Amino acid sequence: MSHVRVRFAPSPTGFFHIGSARTALFNWLYARHTGGVFILRIEDTDKERNRDQFLNLIYDSLTWLGLDWDEGPKAGGAFGPYRQSERGEIYRAAVQKLVAAGRAYEKDGAIWFKLLGERHEVYDEHRKKTVTKVGVPPVVIQDLIRGRVERVEDEDFVIVRSDGSPVFHFVNVVDDIAMKVTHIIRGEDHLSNTSKHVLLYDGFGVKPPAFAHIPLILKSPEMGQGKMSKRDKGALIEEYQQRHFLPEALVNYLSLLGWNPGDNREKMPIAEIVQLFDLPGVNQSNAKFDGKKLGHMNMLYLLEQPADRFADLAREYFRQQPGGFAALADEAYFREVMLLAQPKIKSIDELAAYTVYFFADDFPIDAKVKEKVMAKGDPKARLDELLAALPAADFSSDAAIEEALKRLATEKGLGFGDYQAVARLAVTGTNAGPSITAIFRVLGKERVLRRLGAFLAGN
Ligand code: GLU
């Protein structure tokens, strides 16, 4: 077993979004790749903004995505508790330690971290007051992704507010030390905090861990410009869960937001991603969210699901649809319909609309399609001919149905298409969907004849 210990440290202050999921995933991948430990730590010190709802969402989302944690809430571990709200004693002891070592002091009710160096007072134009600057060299961060980053920190900073609450930088570092974290993998928005963190490590006399700041996720062009935010459409993990996306497709897609296997492969089993993932392989440049590509990835995964699993997924979805029980009434029929739809949809939540005419006789008819189909040739005559010929046809296979339709067309000196378009309109109300022969076979002769007759009578 390697010594690698990484952590995902979310704050339960909002919905679980793509960016958080990607950070969690990269940590998890690195832990699994190295045979290390993946820790979940809840950074819930902000009492005002924390919500139980959001905490549960973190657990649920990680579990749904398959990102299991080795240490943390629910999992336990030797370095707990893993919720910062339960670690007050540890922070108080850590403050005492810094004070005793001469690296922290009290001023105006707050506790400040003390920088080491020559001090001088200067007037700060911007803040319109005199401040104490400390003459120190810039902090150097050797980031595994960004490379060498330098940042000047030349003022003491608060680590415990006057109300007694410790600040993010402080608890974050105290916990990373206590939990023996070896690699900090987090969003690039935290790079600017890292210089303070490095100084705090120094204050505790501990060598900082390795840092790996992963690139931001930008909006796709149709979403606008800039960084993807929680408010953007498609930004929340919950949304994909509700739409019955396959978590493995989402995970595969997220792994490509800032990383690639070094060739241009995209769809890869998770075991292979684990094998290939490494921090130096993470890109420096920002990643772009692309909902279309995610939909396509989901489609690829749906396509390869074994029939039983696809039917299970579909059944679960229909159970949650208003009126979905009607579709589930006949199990064998439901399964046949779902297998027709499987290669045609991008996500499970398209199933109800895609298969509506299989489960109800009062399906919607697309007016534009109807206008077009009825304007060409003599569709009513074709319906008459179908109604005359089909009762004797063999409906047991697509091939038999195709043969019957072709025989009829040949007999009348017409083409397959002359019958196909109007038949499809009459039995499905659209011009899209699975092949007409498959639709006929699954609907069954009786239902097909009934619909052809009803359509002819009504038009
Ligand atoms: N609680 C911080 C966040 O949610 C964690 C930052 C870190 O990973 O160090 O952004």
Side-chain angles (χ1 to χ4, degrees):
M1 197 155 149
S2 83
H3 72 294
V4 167
R5 293 176 57 84
V6 292
R7 85 305 192 265
F8 173 53
S11 300
T13 54
F15 287 100
F16 199 79
H17 57 102
I18 294 276
S20 300
R22 200 263 317 244
T23 301
L25 173 62
F26 280 21
N27 276 282
W28 181 89
L29 284 172
Y30 193 62
R32 297 296 171 256
H33 174 77
T34 56
V37 172
F38 176 53
I39 305 164
L40 173 62
R41 180 173 77 226
I42 305 295
E43 303 213 322
D44 55 350
T45 50
D46 187 344
K47 287 199 192 72
E48 300 291 301
R49 292 174 60 222
N50 290 320
R51 296 281 177 280
D52 274 353
Q53 168 207 1
F54 296 138
L55 178 64
N56 289 326
L57 202 56
I58 292 170
Y59 300 147
D60 289 350
S61 302
L62 290 175
T63 304
W64 182 66
L65 290 168
L67 307 180
D68 55 324
W69 56 100
D70 308 307
E71 288 179 25
K74 293 172 195 269
F79 303 92
Y82 290 91
R83 288 179 63 173
Q84 289 189 329
S85 57
E86 296 168 6
R87 296 175 64 81
E89 277 309 315
I90 295 164
Y91 304 137
R92 277 188 283 280
V95 171
Q96 285 318 311
K97 207 168 153 185
L98 285 186
V99 172
R103 294 303 308 267
Y105 60 91
E106 198 255 272
K107 190 182 85 183
D108 305 331
I111 312 280
W112 297 70
F113 182 71
K114 185 175 174 188
L115 300 190
L116 302 181
E118 191 193 313
R119 289 165 184 263
H120 50 276
E121 311 272 300
V122 294
Y123 184 75
D124 186 319
E125 288 289 345
H126 196 65
R127 284 182 280 175
K128 303 218 179 314
K129 63 174 185 177
T130 304
V131 295
T132 307
K133 294 273 180 193
V134 188
V136 280
V139 178
V140 176
I141 301 150
Q142 284 294 353
D143 192 273
L144 292 176
I145 297 164
R146 311 296 316 174
R148 185 187 161 97
V149 178
E150 284 189 17
R151 208 180 142 88
V152 177
E153 291 288 347
D154 58 1
E155 285 179 41
D156 293 352
F157 54 89
V158 170
I159 53 175
V160 182
R161 298 181 194 90
S162 49
D163 67 1
S165 61
V167 305
F168 157 71
H169 305 297
F170 182 69
V171 293
N172 187 263
V173 168
V174 168
D175 286 347
D176 283 334
I177 293 173
M179 295 176 185
K180 300 196 186 313
V181 170
T182 59
H183 294 72
I184 292 183
I185 305 168
R186 62 184 171 196
E188 202 185 275
D189 44 332
H190 284 292
L191 187 56
S192 59
N193 298 324
T194 305
S195 44
K196 284 198 176 71
H197 297 184
V198 168
L199 289 168
L200 283 166
Y201 276 96
D202 179 57
F204 284 110
V206 175
K207 188 173 157 284
F211 291 99
H213 285 93
I214 53 185
L216 299 178
I217 303 176
L218 303 180
K219 298 181 211 246
S220 61
E222 62 278 11
M223 292 163 76
Q225 287 215 319
K227 195 184 160 208
M228 178 127 170
S229 93
K230 301 185 194 203
R231 287 170 298 280
D232 287 317
K233 189 173 169 325
L236 303 183
I237 296 300
E238 215 181 4
E239 212 174 300
Y240 297 101
Q241 207 172 348
Q242 280 163 4
R243 290 182 58 196
H244 298 259
F245 266 60
L246 292 175
E248 53 270 46
L250 185 53
V251 163
N252 191 156
Y253 176 74
L254 290 175
S255 76
L256 301 171
L257 285 179
W259 175 83
N260 64 70
D263 48 38
N264 45 25
R265 267 176 324 151
E266 301 208 311
K267 182 169 176 297
M268 276 177 297
I270 188 69
E272 205 174 331
I273 300 175
V274 165
Q275 199 183 1
L276 295 173
F277 185 86
D278 208 353
L279 291 175
V282 175
N283 305 328
Q284 278 198 18
S285 53
N286 292 330
K288 214 167 246 153
F289 179 78
D290 184 342
K292 277 209 194 85
K293 201 162 150 181
L294 171 53
H296 183 73
M297 183 69 84
N298 194 56
M299 185 187 78
L300 296 179
Y301 273 85
L302 283 176
L303 207 54
E304 67 169 25
Q305 296 303 312
D308 282 340
R309 165 121 155 102
F310 187 82
D312 284 347
L313 291 166
R315 210 175 292 115
E316 204 181 296
Y317 158 76
F318 272 96
R319 270 198 205 111
Q320 294 168 17
Q321 297 310 301
F325 58 89
L328 294 160
D330 178 341
E331 172 58 36
Y333 179 68
F334 176 77
R335 190 184 157 95
E336 289 259 41
V337 174
M338 291 309 127
L339 295 187
L340 279 193
Q342 182 175 7
K344 304 284 191 175
I345 54 159
K346 278 205 171 55
S347 60
I348 291 279
D349 67 333
E350 293 174 7
L351 276 176
Y354 191 79
T355 63
V356 61
Y357 54 83
F358 281 104
F359 302 113
D361 286 329
D362 59 347
F363 52 85
I365 299 213
D366 186 319
K368 279 214 183 83
V369 172
K370 182 173 164 186
E371 195 185 312
K372 222 169 129 191
V373 171
M374 298 312 280
K376 197 170 164 236
D378 188 352
K380 288 191 184 178
R382 302 293 84 77
L383 286 174
D384 262 332
E385 289 156 7
L386 283 166
L387 280 163
L390 290 181
D394 173 2
F395 264 53
S396 64
S397 71
D398 288 14
I401 294 167
E402 186 171 335
E403 206 190 293
L405 290 173
K406 282 194 171 147
R407 201 180 319 119
L408 174 62
T410 311
E411 230 176 77
K412 306 289 176 190
L414 295 164
F416 185 84
D418 295 308
Y419 292 92
Q420 197 271 132
V422 69
R424 185 184 281 279
L425 174 67
V427 303
T428 75
T430 80
N431 60 355
S435 72
I436 191 67
T437 51
I439 292 170
F440 273 20
R441 173 177 51 78
V442 172
L443 279 172
K445 194 191 282 187
E446 199 194 304
R447 211 168 344 209
V448 168
L449 288 171
R450 189 162 17 98
R451 289 189 185 178
L452 293 175
F455 186 85
L456 186 60
N459 287 282

